[in-house]
Amino acid sequence: MKIKNYFIICIGILFVVFTTFLVSAGCCEKTKDGFWCQDVTEDQCETNFLSTTSCAQTTFCTSAGTCVDSAKGTCKENSYKIECTSGGGTWEKKDKNEIAMCREGCCIIGESADLRTSVECQQLASDYGIDIDFRANIEDLGACSDLAYTKEKGACVYEKNYATTCEFITKEDCNSKKSVSLTDEGGIRGLIGGGKTETIEEAIFHSGLLCTAPGLSDCAVSSETICYNDQVYFIDTCGQNANVYDSRMYTENENQWTKEMRDYWTYVKEPSCTVSGLDASCGNCNFWDGGNTCGAYKKGAQGMPTQRPLGDYVCKDLACYYDVNDDGKEERYEHGESVCAESEGTFFHIPQVKERSEILREELADITQYNLPGSRYYKLQCWNGVMKTIPCREYRNEVCEEMDLADELDLEEEYMQASCVVNDWRNCFEITNVDDCENDKVDCKWIPGYRFDNQNFKERDKEDEQGSCVPLYTPGFDFWEPESDAHALCSLNSLVIENVIYEQHFLGNRNDFGGVSTEDAAQRCFENCYAIPDYGVEFTASFLEDFHLNNGKTLPSGGIRDYHLSGREGYYCLKDRDEPDTIDNLKVGLEAGNEIQCAAGDNKDSDRRRVKLFYTYDQWLNSVKQRAKSMGDCGVKENAVGTSGQDGAELITVIFQKLKQDGSVKENGTVETIWIGDKRIDGYRNVDGGLEEELDNIEPSWEYHKLE
Amino acid sequence: MGKRGQVTIFIIIAIIIIVIGILIYAFYPQIQSIINPTSKNPSAFLQSCLEDEIEETIEILSLQGGSMAPEGYYLYKGNKLKYLCYTNQDYQLCGLQISFLENHIESEIKNAILDKVNSCLEELKETFEEERYSVNIEEGDIVVELLPERVITTLTHKLTLTKGDTARYDGFKIILESDLYRLLGITESILEWESNYGEAEPLLYMGVYHDLDIEKLKQTDDTKVYILTNINTKDKFQFASRSLPFPPGY
């Protein structure tokens, strides 16, 4: 049977056409903006432009080596050679670890410890006039820092300007005081003016004793305290540190002093108390395990005990009180604990991927509720009593995920840890089957229907591959920027064009098609009929799947003519069996009951019922919209602050054309927009093209709200 | 008591006051310098003349990523934050824009105070000449050193003051308390992470240095603004980095 009339409807979700242009870039030694070694275009370059060569390939902008400052003994990786040498450094084409001078170790200066090269350490020791203490075998910052504050301390007693003085310092520092004359000219104590000299003689170090030890000096016990190394320490009347503050070790009443208390003010001792909750009596603060640290006492302030301590300092609680869920009540979070913020337009408190149920995954996929334009994920970090807001990457390139560590840490109450995790949405487009798309390794979701490579499988066993893998967390685009790629990005994968083929009645004329009702057009359709508005509106997709693929399924009442339905959709014949299953090789067979008779009636017609992409118009519409809107800030959406998007950003347009028998265009007809955003436009197949003017008046526009 | 007795008492009191004054003057040079910082103490004079300038310079440098007039910067709350590590390419790690930050800042401080040093030395000369000193200043250099807990500015100029006796000064040190040295050390470590992995975790540092607050603020274009603050002294250093940026879109 010949197809007398063709009408092709090209239906697409059209966003904005974009243009790209290619500009030749190259390596620039220094850009006009003042950056070293960037790949830019020539007009952005200040000095030395090497076209079509990336900086990594040049000799002057390579960063594959180490920049060495031999005078100070410092070494830097990832420096650009030209920047290194212009700054006075020496460039070596070796890894930092291969250069002996660059090896870092633990440098201990006084009570501080830090990773330095031996030359740096030597220089520092020289500046302070002390012997170098360099531990080459310690290369870890944490291990090195543990060595701070570990040197033995004691009472250093000496005569200064004819008066006995005591300092509670390290033996090393005490020794450095011996027979030293301090003037304003030479040493670090140059602040002292006048060219006069201070003389210190006979500094004696009393290991393990405090300055308040009997007979050493005039320094006496006091109730005053000070913060030192995170803990609260008693200080004596000379201002020297004593032991850790313990209220039981001091009294104003001389008669109540015990031997234990006197010993506590004589010898260097380990703390004798432990902090319990909000405790004003003990200065043995514990930053990590106890979540408290030394701080000035402020009555009534957060983290402060109600009782006043003896001195001015106390172990303050570092927990945070913060109303994360905006219910008007502040919840308590431990020092170090973190949670995801409940920021507008995001999914609150996403558990780590392995802890997600199928139901949760479905919830996460809701593009109307979550990951809306303008939304951004934030992490809330409790640290030092302050809940800090830490933004994850903009454009939802990162999302906040959290997990409860209570079990791992053996805690009774939940202890949350949140982190900004890279939203690897770009990878989703590489995945081509549902199993790889929706599992606990990736953050993607599967939209059954079209594939990105536009292949349409007809076989049932390939249903798992018939669809698109898209981001679970819809990314954001900078669509408000004039030079944004957003429009291109939305168009790139979200534009779909579907050719719907109608057959005009044998005695009819193609020119009469304008008068055919939509219902009638649906019945005359034999290819991609689901793109006709209201197609299959009376049925569920599963009913129609059975109807078209399984013989014998009957309609509830009447025949095809009573519904927006084609009896031909799903059947096909090929002009040439050996050619691919494309539109050019398509022909329609005779209808005979539930069968189509192709050509010579080879009794294989029923085998040629094929799996269709969609079975109803709603199914098609939902799939293309879901896929398009999951790509990013595409189409019409409500934004994070509840403002609706503008309809012009999402269109479905229909083009009517008359085709020749060979499929080429004989005559262009009308262009009609049948959907603007979520608004259905009446007048489908309006032969007068009455909607064209209306379409021209639609300007894509939007509102952008910066969320702070 | 007769008039003569009263006069004697007054003379004795006056002598005692003078002796006490001389003793204080002799043994407490700081007090001497406070009472009259210029008359016999050029060190105090220069300290007083220069320290505000050095402090202001350090403050500006700290707010601008270590450069007085940064090129290649990110504008953050009105401050031009120098990018210390930068790439303009998506998905690429950054390269250091200043290899030796400490040297750079020392040099920036030196250049920023150069004019002030000259004017202070000139002022010093005039002040002492007004007090009838013969003043000779030999040209010298300015050496700025960032050290733990302090910044030392050394003027190697040689000063000779003659007024009967001759006093010779072989140089002057202006010392300011500052945590800049440690903040720069941590900055360099952060930059190492940025240039090797694209990101640094502030908690790693705050867990070691409990008196430190480090903020990492991710900006729209994937620039990261790092703000390092000593909680106790409020010393601050802030800078920008752009490494491993993800574009909006592909």
Side-chain angles (χ1 to χ4, degrees), chain A residues 33 36 38-39 69 72 78-79 83 124 127-128 145 188 193-194 230 376 383 388 393 395 398 426 489 706, chain B residues 41 72 88 91 96-97 99 103 106 147-148 150 175 195-196 206 208 210 213 218 220 222 244 247 249-250:
Chain A
D33 290 337
W36 290 100
Q38 301 295 315
D39 293 318
D69 176 357
K72 283 198 170 176
N78 304 314
S79 294
E83 187 279 324
L124 282 171
D127 286 333
Y128 282 88
S145 296
I188 281 170
D230 294 338
R376 186 175 187 176
W383 195 263
K388 302 174 83 164
R393 284 184 195 250
Y395 306 113
E398 281 181 342
R426 295 164 182 86
L489 296 166
K706 182 81 180 167
Chain B
N41 190 349
N88 64 350
Y91 312 115
L96 297 183
Q97 295 297 307
S99 291
N103 295 359
E106 286 170 351
L147 292 171
R150 68 203 66 184
I175 302 173
S195 59
N196 281 315
M206 287 157 69
V208 174
H210 299 169
D213 180 55
K218 290 178 185 173
T220 301
D222 265 359
L244 213 61
Y250 302 91

Short mmCIF file of all heavy atoms in Angstrom, two decimals, chain A residues 33 36 38-39 69 72 78-79 83 124 127-128 145 188 193-194 230 376 383 388 393 395 398 426 489 706, chain B residues 41 72 88 91 96-97 99 103 106 147-148 150 175 195-196 206 208 210 213 218 220 222 244 247 249-250:
data_model
loop_
_atom_site.label_atom_id
_atom_site.label_comp_id
_atom_site.label_asym_id
_atom_site.label_seq_id
_atom_site.Cartn_x
_atom_site.Cartn_y
_atom_site.Cartn_z
N ASP A 33 46.59 40.10 33.03
CA ASP A 33 46.00 40.12 34.37
C ASP A 33 47.04 39.87 35.45
O ASP A 33 46.72 39.91 36.64
CB ASP A 33 44.92 39.02 34.48
CG ASP A 33 43.70 39.36 33.66
OD1 ASP A 33 43.51 40.56 33.39
OD2 ASP A 33 42.96 38.44 33.29
N TRP A 36 51.23 34.19 36.00
CA TRP A 36 52.31 33.48 35.33
C TRP A 36 51.75 32.27 34.61
O TRP A 36 50.90 31.55 35.15
CB TRP A 36 53.35 33.00 36.33
CG TRP A 36 54.18 34.07 36.95
CD1 TRP A 36 54.00 34.63 38.20
CD2 TRP A 36 55.33 34.72 36.39
NE1 TRP A 36 54.95 35.58 38.43
CE2 TRP A 36 55.79 35.67 37.34
CE3 TRP A 36 56.00 34.62 35.18
CZ2 TRP A 36 56.90 36.48 37.12
CZ3 TRP A 36 57.10 35.41 34.95
CH2 TRP A 36 57.54 36.34 35.91
N GLN A 38 49.88 30.89 31.83
CA GLN A 38 48.51 30.45 31.61
C GLN A 38 48.30 30.24 30.11
O GLN A 38 48.94 30.90 29.28
CB GLN A 38 47.52 31.51 32.11
CG GLN A 38 47.64 31.82 33.59
CD GLN A 38 47.30 30.65 34.48
OE1 GLN A 38 46.31 29.95 34.27
NE2 GLN A 38 48.13 30.40 35.49
N ASP A 39 47.42 29.33 29.79
CA ASP A 39 47.06 29.11 28.40
C ASP A 39 45.93 30.08 28.05
O ASP A 39 44.81 29.92 28.52
CB ASP A 39 46.61 27.65 28.19
CG ASP A 39 47.76 26.69 28.38
OD1 ASP A 39 48.86 26.98 27.90
OD2 ASP A 39 47.58 25.65 29.05
N ASP A 69 65.49 27.64 46.97
CA ASP A 69 66.15 28.83 47.50
C ASP A 69 67.26 28.33 48.42
O ASP A 69 67.02 27.99 49.58
CB ASP A 69 65.12 29.67 48.28
CG ASP A 69 65.77 30.89 48.95
OD1 ASP A 69 67.00 31.05 48.84
OD2 ASP A 69 65.03 31.68 49.57
N LYS A 72 67.99 30.08 51.98
CA LYS A 72 67.10 29.79 53.11
C LYS A 72 66.80 28.31 53.26
O LYS A 72 66.19 27.89 54.24
CB LYS A 72 65.79 30.55 52.95
CG LYS A 72 65.90 32.02 53.30
CD LYS A 72 64.53 32.62 53.54
CE LYS A 72 64.67 34.02 54.13
NZ LYS A 72 63.37 34.68 54.29
N ASN A 78 55.66 22.47 42.01
CA ASN A 78 54.57 23.10 41.25
C ASN A 78 54.77 24.60 41.02
O ASN A 78 53.81 25.35 40.93
CB ASN A 78 53.22 22.86 41.93
CG ASN A 78 52.95 21.39 42.12
OD1 ASN A 78 53.15 20.61 41.20
ND2 ASN A 78 52.52 21.00 43.31
N SER A 79 56.05 25.00 41.00
CA SER A 79 56.37 26.38 40.59
C SER A 79 56.63 26.35 39.10
O SER A 79 57.08 25.34 38.56
CB SER A 79 57.65 26.86 41.27
OG SER A 79 57.47 26.97 42.64
N GLU A 83 58.91 31.75 36.70
CA GLU A 83 58.58 32.50 37.93
C GLU A 83 59.63 32.23 38.99
O GLU A 83 60.05 33.12 39.74
CB GLU A 83 57.18 32.10 38.41
CG GLU A 83 56.64 32.91 39.58
CD GLU A 83 57.16 32.45 40.92
OE1 GLU A 83 57.33 31.22 41.10
OE2 GLU A 83 57.42 33.30 41.77
N LEU A 124 66.80 29.34 61.89
CA LEU A 124 65.93 29.75 63.00
C LEU A 124 66.64 29.64 64.34
O LEU A 124 66.55 30.52 65.18
CB LEU A 124 64.67 28.87 63.01
CG LEU A 124 63.60 29.23 61.98
CD1 LEU A 124 62.52 28.16 61.95
CD2 LEU A 124 62.98 30.58 62.31
N ASP A 127 68.88 32.48 64.70
CA ASP A 127 68.16 33.72 65.03
C ASP A 127 67.83 33.81 66.51
O ASP A 127 67.78 34.89 67.09
CB ASP A 127 66.86 33.80 64.22
CG ASP A 127 67.11 34.14 62.77
OD1 ASP A 127 68.14 34.78 62.49
OD2 ASP A 127 66.30 33.74 61.91
N TYR A 128 67.56 32.66 67.11
CA TYR A 128 67.17 32.66 68.52
C TYR A 128 68.34 32.37 69.46
O TYR A 128 68.16 32.30 70.67
CB TYR A 128 66.05 31.63 68.76
CG TYR A 128 64.73 32.17 68.29
CD1 TYR A 128 64.33 32.01 66.98
CD2 TYR A 128 63.91 32.90 69.14
CE1 TYR A 128 63.15 32.54 66.52
CE2 TYR A 128 62.72 33.43 68.69
CZ TYR A 128 62.34 33.26 67.39
OH TYR A 128 61.16 33.80 66.95
N SER A 145 54.28 18.00 65.62
CA SER A 145 53.60 18.90 66.56
C SER A 145 53.50 18.29 67.95
O SER A 145 53.45 19.01 68.95
CB SER A 145 52.20 19.23 66.05
OG SER A 145 52.29 19.93 64.86
N ILE A 188 67.82 39.79 69.93
CA ILE A 188 66.42 39.97 69.59
C ILE A 188 65.76 40.97 70.55
O ILE A 188 64.79 41.61 70.21
CB ILE A 188 65.74 38.59 69.64
CG1 ILE A 188 66.09 37.87 68.36
CG2 ILE A 188 64.26 38.70 69.79
CD1 ILE A 188 65.72 36.43 68.36
N GLY A 193 65.73 50.13 74.81
CA GLY A 193 66.50 51.22 74.25
C GLY A 193 67.59 51.72 75.17
O GLY A 193 67.80 51.21 76.26
N GLY A 194 68.30 52.69 74.70
CA GLY A 194 69.22 53.40 75.55
C GLY A 194 70.64 52.91 75.55
O GLY A 194 71.51 53.48 76.20
N ASP A 230 46.34 25.01 75.68
CA ASP A 230 44.92 24.61 75.76
C ASP A 230 44.41 24.38 77.18
O ASP A 230 43.22 24.10 77.37
CB ASP A 230 44.62 23.33 74.95
CG ASP A 230 44.80 23.52 73.47
OD1 ASP A 230 44.73 24.67 73.02
OD2 ASP A 230 45.02 22.51 72.78
N ARG A 376 22.28 25.71 46.59
CA ARG A 376 23.66 25.33 46.83
C ARG A 376 23.72 24.56 48.14
O ARG A 376 22.99 24.86 49.07
CB ARG A 376 24.52 26.59 46.93
CG ARG A 376 26.01 26.33 47.04
CD ARG A 376 26.78 27.65 47.01
NE ARG A 376 28.21 27.40 46.96
CZ ARG A 376 29.12 28.35 46.84
NH1 ARG A 376 28.76 29.61 46.76
NH2 ARG A 376 30.41 28.07 46.81
N TRP A 383 33.07 23.94 65.49
CA TRP A 383 34.48 24.01 65.86
C TRP A 383 34.67 25.13 66.86
O TRP A 383 34.24 26.24 66.62
CB TRP A 383 35.35 24.25 64.62
CG TRP A 383 36.80 23.98 64.86
CD1 TRP A 383 37.77 24.89 65.16
CD2 TRP A 383 37.44 22.71 64.87
NE1 TRP A 383 38.96 24.26 65.35
CE2 TRP A 383 38.80 22.92 65.17
CE3 TRP A 383 37.00 21.40 64.66
CZ2 TRP A 383 39.72 21.89 65.27
CZ3 TRP A 383 37.92 20.38 64.74
CH2 TRP A 383 39.26 20.62 65.05
N LYS A 388 30.27 26.87 61.94
CA LYS A 388 30.72 27.58 60.75
C LYS A 388 30.00 27.04 59.51
O LYS A 388 29.81 25.84 59.39
CB LYS A 388 32.22 27.41 60.56
CG LYS A 388 33.01 27.90 61.73
CD LYS A 388 34.46 27.58 61.58
CE LYS A 388 35.13 28.60 60.74
NZ LYS A 388 36.58 28.58 60.83
N ARG A 393 30.89 23.42 46.53
CA ARG A 393 31.08 24.10 45.24
C ARG A 393 29.76 24.61 44.68
O ARG A 393 28.73 23.95 44.82
CB ARG A 393 31.70 23.14 44.22
CG ARG A 393 33.18 22.90 44.41
CD ARG A 393 33.67 22.01 43.28
NE ARG A 393 34.96 21.43 43.55
CZ ARG A 393 36.10 21.77 42.92
NH1 ARG A 393 36.08 22.69 41.99
NH2 ARG A 393 37.22 21.17 43.21
N TYR A 395 27.04 25.76 41.79
CA TYR A 395 26.39 25.05 40.67
C TYR A 395 26.18 23.57 40.99
O TYR A 395 26.16 22.73 40.10
CB TYR A 395 27.20 25.18 39.37
CG TYR A 395 27.51 26.60 39.00
CD1 TYR A 395 28.80 27.08 39.03
CD2 TYR A 395 26.47 27.46 38.67
CE1 TYR A 395 29.07 28.40 38.72
CE2 TYR A 395 26.74 28.78 38.35
CZ TYR A 395 28.04 29.25 38.37
OH TYR A 395 28.31 30.56 38.06
N GLU A 398 29.24 20.18 43.90
CA GLU A 398 29.41 19.35 45.09
C GLU A 398 28.08 19.31 45.83
O GLU A 398 27.33 20.28 45.80
CB GLU A 398 30.48 19.93 46.02
CG GLU A 398 31.91 19.64 45.59
CD GLU A 398 32.93 20.23 46.57
OE1 GLU A 398 32.59 21.11 47.36
OE2 GLU A 398 34.08 19.79 46.52
N ARG A 426 28.83 14.59 35.32
CA ARG A 426 29.28 14.49 33.93
C ARG A 426 29.47 13.04 33.51
O ARG A 426 29.33 12.69 32.35
CB ARG A 426 30.56 15.28 33.75
CG ARG A 426 30.37 16.78 33.97
CD ARG A 426 31.68 17.49 34.18
NE ARG A 426 31.51 18.91 34.44
CZ ARG A 426 31.27 19.43 35.64
NH1 ARG A 426 31.18 18.65 36.69
NH2 ARG A 426 31.13 20.73 35.80
N LEU A 489 24.22 24.01 26.54
CA LEU A 489 24.23 22.76 27.30
C LEU A 489 22.83 22.18 27.40
O LEU A 489 22.64 20.97 27.30
CB LEU A 489 24.81 23.00 28.70
CG LEU A 489 26.28 23.44 28.71
CD1 LEU A 489 26.65 23.98 30.07
CD2 LEU A 489 27.16 22.27 28.34
N LYS A 706 20.80 35.42 44.35
CA LYS A 706 22.06 34.96 44.98
C LYS A 706 21.75 34.62 46.44
O LYS A 706 21.25 35.44 47.19
CB LYS A 706 23.10 36.08 44.91
CG LYS A 706 24.44 35.70 45.48
CD LYS A 706 25.23 34.91 44.47
CE LYS A 706 26.59 34.54 45.04
NZ LYS A 706 27.24 33.54 44.23
N ASN B 41 68.42 58.22 72.63
CA ASN B 41 68.09 56.86 72.24
C ASN B 41 67.58 56.80 70.79
O ASN B 41 66.37 56.79 70.56
CB ASN B 41 67.03 56.29 73.18
CG ASN B 41 66.85 54.80 72.94
OD1 ASN B 41 67.35 54.25 71.96
ND2 ASN B 41 66.13 54.17 73.84
N GLY B 72 46.79 39.87 39.39
CA GLY B 72 46.17 38.54 39.40
C GLY B 72 45.52 38.31 40.74
O GLY B 72 46.03 37.58 41.57
N ASN B 88 43.69 28.92 34.88
CA ASN B 88 42.47 29.39 34.21
C ASN B 88 41.79 28.25 33.46
O ASN B 88 40.79 28.45 32.80
CB ASN B 88 42.79 30.55 33.26
CG ASN B 88 43.70 30.11 32.13
OD1 ASN B 88 44.24 29.01 32.14
ND2 ASN B 88 43.88 30.97 31.14
N TYR B 91 39.35 21.84 35.28
CA TYR B 91 39.83 20.50 35.67
C TYR B 91 41.36 20.40 35.78
O TYR B 91 41.90 19.31 35.80
CB TYR B 91 39.35 19.40 34.71
CG TYR B 91 37.87 19.47 34.38
CD1 TYR B 91 37.43 19.74 33.09
CD2 TYR B 91 36.92 19.27 35.38
CE1 TYR B 91 36.09 19.82 32.80
CE2 TYR B 91 35.57 19.33 35.09
CZ TYR B 91 35.16 19.61 33.79
OH TYR B 91 33.82 19.68 33.51
N LEU B 96 51.99 27.57 41.30
CA LEU B 96 52.30 28.64 42.26
C LEU B 96 52.59 29.94 41.52
O LEU B 96 53.33 29.95 40.54
CB LEU B 96 53.50 28.27 43.12
CG LEU B 96 53.35 27.04 44.02
CD1 LEU B 96 54.61 26.85 44.85
CD2 LEU B 96 52.14 27.18 44.93
N GLN B 97 52.04 31.01 42.01
CA GLN B 97 52.29 32.33 41.40
C GLN B 97 53.42 33.06 42.11
O GLN B 97 54.01 33.98 41.55
CB GLN B 97 51.00 33.16 41.43
CG GLN B 97 49.88 32.59 40.58
CD GLN B 97 50.24 32.55 39.10
OE1 GLN B 97 50.63 33.54 38.52
NE2 GLN B 97 50.11 31.37 38.48
N SER B 99 56.70 31.65 44.29
CA SER B 99 57.33 30.45 44.85
C SER B 99 57.72 30.64 46.31
O SER B 99 57.43 29.81 47.16
CB SER B 99 58.58 30.09 44.05
OG SER B 99 58.21 29.65 42.78
N ASN B 103 60.04 35.33 51.25
CA ASN B 103 60.98 36.28 50.63
C ASN B 103 60.22 37.43 49.99
O ASN B 103 60.62 38.59 50.09
CB ASN B 103 61.81 35.60 49.53
CG ASN B 103 62.70 34.51 50.10
OD1 ASN B 103 62.71 34.29 51.30
ND2 ASN B 103 63.44 33.84 49.24
N GLU B 106 58.86 39.79 52.63
CA GLU B 106 59.97 40.56 53.21
C GLU B 106 60.37 41.70 52.26
O GLU B 106 60.59 42.83 52.68
CB GLU B 106 61.17 39.64 53.48
CG GLU B 106 60.93 38.73 54.68
CD GLU B 106 61.99 37.63 54.85
OE1 GLU B 106 62.83 37.45 53.92
OE2 GLU B 106 61.97 36.95 55.88
N LEU B 147 60.02 36.04 61.40
CA LEU B 147 60.45 34.98 62.33
C LEU B 147 59.26 34.57 63.18
O LEU B 147 58.26 35.29 63.26
CB LEU B 147 61.57 35.50 63.22
CG LEU B 147 62.90 35.79 62.53
CD1 LEU B 147 63.84 36.49 63.47
CD2 LEU B 147 63.54 34.50 62.02
N PRO B 148 59.35 33.41 63.83
CA PRO B 148 58.25 33.00 64.69
C PRO B 148 57.89 34.10 65.69
O PRO B 148 58.76 34.61 66.38
CB PRO B 148 58.81 31.76 65.39
CG PRO B 148 59.82 31.22 64.46
CD PRO B 148 60.43 32.42 63.80
N ARG B 150 57.36 37.11 65.47
CA ARG B 150 57.81 38.51 65.33
C ARG B 150 58.28 38.81 63.91
O ARG B 150 58.62 37.91 63.15
CB ARG B 150 58.90 38.81 66.33
CG ARG B 150 60.19 38.10 66.08
CD ARG B 150 61.01 37.99 67.34
NE ARG B 150 60.34 37.13 68.31
CZ ARG B 150 60.79 36.91 69.54
NH1 ARG B 150 61.87 37.50 69.96
NH2 ARG B 150 60.15 36.11 70.36
N ILE B 175 61.39 45.69 66.18
CA ILE B 175 60.77 44.37 66.36
C ILE B 175 59.28 44.53 66.62
O ILE B 175 58.88 45.32 67.48
CB ILE B 175 61.42 43.63 67.54
CG1 ILE B 175 62.91 43.48 67.26
CG2 ILE B 175 60.78 42.25 67.72
CD1 ILE B 175 63.67 42.92 68.42
N SER B 195 48.04 22.75 44.96
CA SER B 195 48.72 22.51 43.67
C SER B 195 48.89 21.02 43.38
O SER B 195 49.08 20.63 42.24
CB SER B 195 50.07 23.22 43.64
OG SER B 195 50.89 22.76 44.69
N ASN B 196 48.83 20.20 44.42
CA ASN B 196 48.97 18.75 44.19
C ASN B 196 47.63 18.03 44.08
O ASN B 196 47.51 17.05 43.35
CB ASN B 196 49.77 18.10 45.31
CG ASN B 196 51.26 18.33 45.13
OD1 ASN B 196 51.79 18.17 44.04
ND2 ASN B 196 51.94 18.71 46.19
N MET B 206 43.68 23.10 61.81
CA MET B 206 43.05 23.57 63.05
C MET B 206 43.12 22.51 64.14
O MET B 206 43.07 22.82 65.33
CB MET B 206 41.60 23.97 62.77
CG MET B 206 41.50 25.27 61.98
SD MET B 206 39.95 25.44 61.08
CE MET B 206 38.79 25.64 62.40
N VAL B 208 45.72 20.71 64.60
CA VAL B 208 47.08 20.77 65.14
C VAL B 208 47.30 22.10 65.88
O VAL B 208 47.82 22.12 66.98
CB VAL B 208 48.12 20.63 64.00
CG1 VAL B 208 49.53 20.84 64.52
CG2 VAL B 208 47.99 19.25 63.34
N HIS B 210 45.51 24.73 67.65
CA HIS B 210 44.19 24.98 68.23
C HIS B 210 43.84 26.46 68.36
O HIS B 210 42.69 26.81 68.56
CB HIS B 210 44.10 24.32 69.60
CG HIS B 210 44.29 22.85 69.55
ND1 HIS B 210 44.47 22.07 70.67
CD2 HIS B 210 44.35 21.99 68.50
CE1 HIS B 210 44.64 20.81 70.31
NE2 HIS B 210 44.57 20.74 68.99
N ASP B 213 42.21 29.71 63.34
CA ASP B 213 40.95 29.52 62.64
C ASP B 213 41.23 29.66 61.14
O ASP B 213 41.85 30.63 60.72
CB ASP B 213 39.94 30.60 63.08
CG ASP B 213 38.62 30.44 62.37
OD1 ASP B 213 38.05 29.34 62.44
OD2 ASP B 213 38.17 31.41 61.73
N LYS B 218 34.46 28.81 49.27
CA LYS B 218 34.42 28.54 47.84
C LYS B 218 33.54 29.57 47.14
O LYS B 218 32.39 29.76 47.52
CB LYS B 218 33.89 27.13 47.60
CG LYS B 218 34.86 26.07 48.04
CD LYS B 218 34.31 24.68 47.84
CE LYS B 218 35.28 23.66 48.41
NZ LYS B 218 34.77 22.29 48.40
N THR B 220 31.93 31.47 43.53
CA THR B 220 31.15 31.00 42.40
C THR B 220 32.00 30.42 41.28
O THR B 220 31.64 29.43 40.66
CB THR B 220 30.32 32.17 41.85
OG1 THR B 220 29.48 32.63 42.91
CG2 THR B 220 29.44 31.75 40.70
N ASP B 222 34.72 28.90 41.51
CA ASP B 222 35.58 27.88 42.11
C ASP B 222 36.91 28.43 42.63
O ASP B 222 37.82 27.67 42.95
CB ASP B 222 35.84 26.70 41.16
CG ASP B 222 34.86 25.57 41.43
OD1 ASP B 222 34.04 25.71 42.35
OD2 ASP B 222 34.93 24.54 40.74
N LEU B 244 41.83 23.10 40.16
CA LEU B 244 40.85 22.08 39.79
C LEU B 244 39.44 22.65 39.70
O LEU B 244 38.51 22.13 40.31
CB LEU B 244 40.89 20.93 40.81
CG LEU B 244 40.60 19.53 40.29
CD1 LEU B 244 41.61 19.11 39.24
CD2 LEU B 244 40.59 18.53 41.42
N PRO B 247 33.64 23.80 35.78
CA PRO B 247 32.84 24.87 35.16
C PRO B 247 31.37 24.67 35.48
O PRO B 247 30.96 23.58 35.88
CB PRO B 247 33.10 24.65 33.67
CG PRO B 247 33.33 23.18 33.56
CD PRO B 247 33.99 22.74 34.83
N GLY B 249 28.47 23.54 34.01
CA GLY B 249 28.26 22.77 32.77
C GLY B 249 29.42 21.82 32.56
O GLY B 249 30.10 21.45 33.50
N TYR B 250 29.68 21.47 31.33
CA TYR B 250 30.65 20.42 31.05
C TYR B 250 32.09 20.91 31.09
O TYR B 250 32.37 22.02 30.77
CB TYR B 250 30.37 19.81 29.67
CG TYR B 250 28.99 19.25 29.57
CD1 TYR B 250 27.95 20.03 29.12
CD2 TYR B 250 28.73 17.94 29.94
CE1 TYR B 250 26.66 19.54 29.04
CE2 TYR B 250 27.44 17.44 29.86
CZ TYR B 250 26.41 18.24 29.41
OH TYR B 250 25.14 17.75 29.33
#
